[in-house]
Amino acid sequence: MRAVIVAVALCASTGSARADDAADIVAITQAVPHCEAKRAHCFGLRFHVARTETGAMVVEPAWIAAQLAMANRQFEPLDTSFQVAEVSFLPVDAARIDDRAERTSLATRMKGTVIDVFFTGYLVDVDKPETFAYGVTWHVGEDGRLIIISGMGRDRTLAHELGHFFGLPHSKYAVSIMNKAPRDDPPPEQRRFADPEIAKMKPVLARLVKSKVITELTPLP
Ligand SMILES: [Zn+2]
């Protein structure tokens, strides 16, 4: 009798913890916007989503979709938009990224030609380990770069990190989403890349395409 009860309990617990990758891929790909056909450039994003101990994704599909929609809006002046090329999932230890070694270890999952974006639940700020970061663009090797986004990030975190991906440092332009200083003016909903930042990203974009770090895609219908 005792053995039966244990077996039932185990079954129930693994059943609730089993993640349904196929269903979650459908949920994400149906939620996210695609490249806008009128843009000159369409680049792919490979989403790697961490799971918690219960098997849940660290971020909801709608949250991911809002990040991508904001990125596509912010990159209009660069005549560029993004769409999801692939979705995969990370084991539970990636639900929290603690240090430089853990960031770098994600590079083994990169396969090139699209931008790898890793969603975690908690991203430690490696320069101030007692606190956290919203996101980071982490350089690996010669021209490799991967993006990590925390579920604690703000609505423009992916757009900000893509700014880093295309070569931008943090800036002091009041209007810029690359300016990390707290300020009221202009309000967050009016912030964008400053014009000199758009100009600065153009040659970096061209170089990354030429060196095949990223490949131009056809917009999905
Ligand atoms: Zn930054």
Side-chain angles (χ1 to χ4, degrees):
M1 192 60 204
R2 188 181 180 84
V4 171
I5 292 167
V6 169
V8 169
L10 276 176
C11 188
S13 99
T14 52
S16 66
R18 189 178 299 123
D20 189 339
D21 285 2
D24 285 342
I25 289 170
V26 169
I28 291 171
T29 52
Q30 286 185 346
V32 291
H34 299 158
C35 282
E36 295 166 36
K38 59 191 170 195
R39 303 280 158 245
H41 307 285
C42 172
F43 298 116
L45 305 176
R46 184 180 297 115
F47 285 160
H48 309 258
V49 184
R51 291 192 182 280
T52 68
E53 282 170 1
T54 66
M57 294 186 284
V58 292
V59 287
E60 295 287 333
W63 191 90
I64 296 175
Q67 292 283 331
L68 184 46
M70 174 62 87
N72 283 346
R73 182 157 82 74
Q74 295 291 349
F75 275 81
E76 278 178 21
L78 195 64
D79 215 2
T80 294
S81 61
F82 305 92
Q83 66 192 16
V84 177
E86 194 178 325
V87 178
S88 66
F89 299 94
L90 301 170
V92 66
D93 60 354
R96 180 185 164 107
I97 308 287
D98 276 295
D99 53 32
R100 291 178 170 83
E102 285 186 12
R103 292 178 177 189
T104 301
S105 72
L106 297 173
T108 60
R109 297 174 179 272
M110 294 170 69
K111 290 182 276 184
T113 73
V114 301
I115 301 168
D116 287 273
V117 181
F118 297 82
F119 291 95
T120 186
Y122 188 93
L123 177 61
V124 171
D125 182 340
V126 295
D127 297 317
K128 285 179 281 179
E130 70 282 5
T131 183
F132 58 87
Y134 294 135
V136 70
T137 300
W138 192 243
H139 289 251
V140 282
E142 181 87 355
D143 219 1
R145 52 197 79 184
L146 60 87
I147 291 173
I148 307 172
I149 303 289
S150 165
M152 297 160 75
R154 294 176 297 178
D155 62 349
R156 57 187 180 279
T157 298
L158 176 60
H160 174 101
E161 296 309 328
L162 285 165
H164 285 313
F165 187 93
F166 288 103
L168 296 183
H170 291 140
S171 74
K172 299 229 186 298
Y173 301 107
V175 75
S176 179
I177 65 169
M178 301 309 290
N179 182 345
K180 289 174 70 175
R183 60 201 187 283
D184 295 326
D185 189 35
E189 62 272 17
Q190 289 176 19
R191 292 182 200 165
R192 54 181 175 78
F193 292 115
D195 295 343
E197 291 175 321
I198 293 294
K200 194 170 179 179
M201 284 193 278
K202 283 180 183 170
V204 178
L205 183 155
R207 182 171 60 78
L208 292 173
V209 170
K210 192 164 181 233
S211 60
K212 295 194 167 58
V213 172
I214 48 175
T215 306
E216 303 269 8
L217 298 186
T218 304
L220 291 165

